Amino acid sequence: MITRFAPSPTGGLHLGHGWSAILAHDRARAVDGRFLLRIEDIDGSRSRPEHVAGILADLEWLGLSWDGLSFQSARLDEYRAALDRLRAMGLLYPCFCTRADIAASVSAPHGPGGAVYPGTCRALDPATRAARMGEPHAWRLDMAAAVARVGPLDWHDEIAGQVTADPASAGDVVLARKDAPASYHLAVTVDDAAQGVTHVIRGADLFAATHVHRLLQALLGLPTPIYHHHALLTDAEGKRLAKRDGAPTLSARRLAGEDGHALAARLRTDIGLGPPLALPRTAPR
């Protein structure tokens, strides 16, 4: 068994991150497997070296150890190669739309992750595309063409069971942005395969993303790991912990002198694996 914890160094870890890392760590250690730490640092505008140092210190404070440390910023060539393969299949197209352009498209359908891209640039003729390539642009996956190429897919989640993949509900997802060489979807799929990850243990907030990851695995000929989307930790008001909402950080607790090993032990005792979640077997429409 090979598991991993893959945080982004865009802020401090909170208790929810710590719990996810503990789950992945303990599953591997229980069967003499390997637990990997991967720093997802390709968001150049937000990633900070001090956050990397904080992540390492927080995990050690919780009593966790890892069998390998990697950085996505060192793997840009692999992401470019994956993009080139998809481009050669005729499955990518440049998108010149800004976020404001997409938000202004009031008729855009909505999927599990919010507004679905309406396909504006997919319809551009080749001459117009060629003339605009000097403009900032992202690369999107032509979802309908991609789904047609691979046919029906499924994947196994240890909580939800066998899941019928429905990547089309996400629309034409971005696989590379003008300010990042690969999107989360592409980088995590390529990395999990390259590192031989057998079990992906992560929060239920990423359940919907797995439909897209399963499609990319099929397109790129990559293995599909077993998934475990665990329940999310919430605050006293029942709101899930999140960086953007200012959830208390592990580093604040660590610097205040709290015992990290004791905190991890309490989490294991009080939460455990938790009750099964009512996750959908197909992505909601």
Side-chain angles (χ1 to χ4, degrees):
M1 178 182 287
I2 300 177
T3 66
R4 49 74 163 175
F5 178 57
S8 299
T10 56
L13 299 183
H14 56 62
L15 199 59
H17 294 124
W19 175 233
S20 194
I22 289 169
L23 281 178
H25 172 273
D26 289 2
R27 281 292 299 277
R29 292 288 178 259
V31 294
D32 294 324
R34 300 180 66 221
F35 170 64
L36 307 178
L37 177 58
R38 183 170 73 225
I39 305 297
E40 301 194 337
D41 61 341
I42 55 175
D43 187 339
S45 64
R46 299 173 60 214
S47 297
R48 297 287 184 271
E50 59 268 28
H51 294 319
V52 175
I55 288 169
L56 302 183
D58 287 344
L59 296 179
E60 291 177 341
W61 174 69
L62 289 171
L64 308 185
S65 60
W66 46 91
D67 303 300
L69 172 62
S70 62
F71 293 81
Q72 283 189 334
S73 57
R75 295 181 42 76
L76 302 186
D77 288 345
E78 285 77 5
Y79 308 144
R80 292 190 190 98
L83 284 168
D84 287 344
R85 288 185 60 188
L86 295 171
R87 193 178 291 110
M89 296 177 197
L91 298 179
L92 299 185
Y93 64 88
C95 175
F96 307 95
C97 296
T98 65
R99 291 180 180 178
D101 294 333
I102 298 170
S105 179
V106 295
S107 61
H110 282 65
V116 173
Y117 180 66
T120 306
C121 290
R122 184 178 62 240
L124 293 178
D125 62 85
T128 301
R129 285 183 182 174
R132 297 187 63 182
M133 288 305 292
E135 300 176 24
H137 59 275
W139 287 94
R140 289 186 180 271
L141 179 69
D142 185 334
M143 184 61 74
V147 169
R149 186 181 183 96
V150 300
L153 299 168
D154 59 13
W155 48 278
H156 182 74
D157 187 278
E158 291 182 325
I159 295 177
Q162 204 68 13
V163 181
T164 300
D166 184 19
S169 63
D172 291 359
V173 294
V174 170
L175 295 187
R177 304 194 312 266
K178 59 180 179 293
D179 58 345
S183 71
Y184 167 74
H185 291 307
L186 181 69
V188 73
T189 301
V190 170
D191 287 345
D192 284 341
Q195 294 183 311
V197 173
T198 63
H199 291 68
V200 173
I201 299 170
R202 60 189 181 190
D205 55 326
L206 292 170
F207 184 87
T210 309
H211 294 278
V212 176
H213 302 171
R214 180 65 189 93
L215 172 63
L216 291 175
Q217 290 158 2
L219 291 170
L220 295 170
L222 304 177
T224 301
I226 294 171
Y227 290 88
H228 180 112
H229 290 92
H230 60 78
L232 304 178
L233 299 193
T234 59
D235 60 20
E237 299 177 350
K239 187 176 182 180
R240 77 179 182 92
L241 302 180
K243 284 183 185 179
R244 63 176 176 270
D245 295 327
T249 63
L250 293 180
S251 61
R253 304 176 75 144
R254 171 169 52 84
L255 295 174
E258 186 172 350
D259 186 329
H261 288 219
L263 173 61
R266 288 199 306 274
L267 287 173
R268 292 181 178 105
T269 300
D270 296 344
I271 302 176
L273 289 178
L277 297 177
L279 292 173
R281 291 180 179 271
T282 59
R285 293 187 179 275

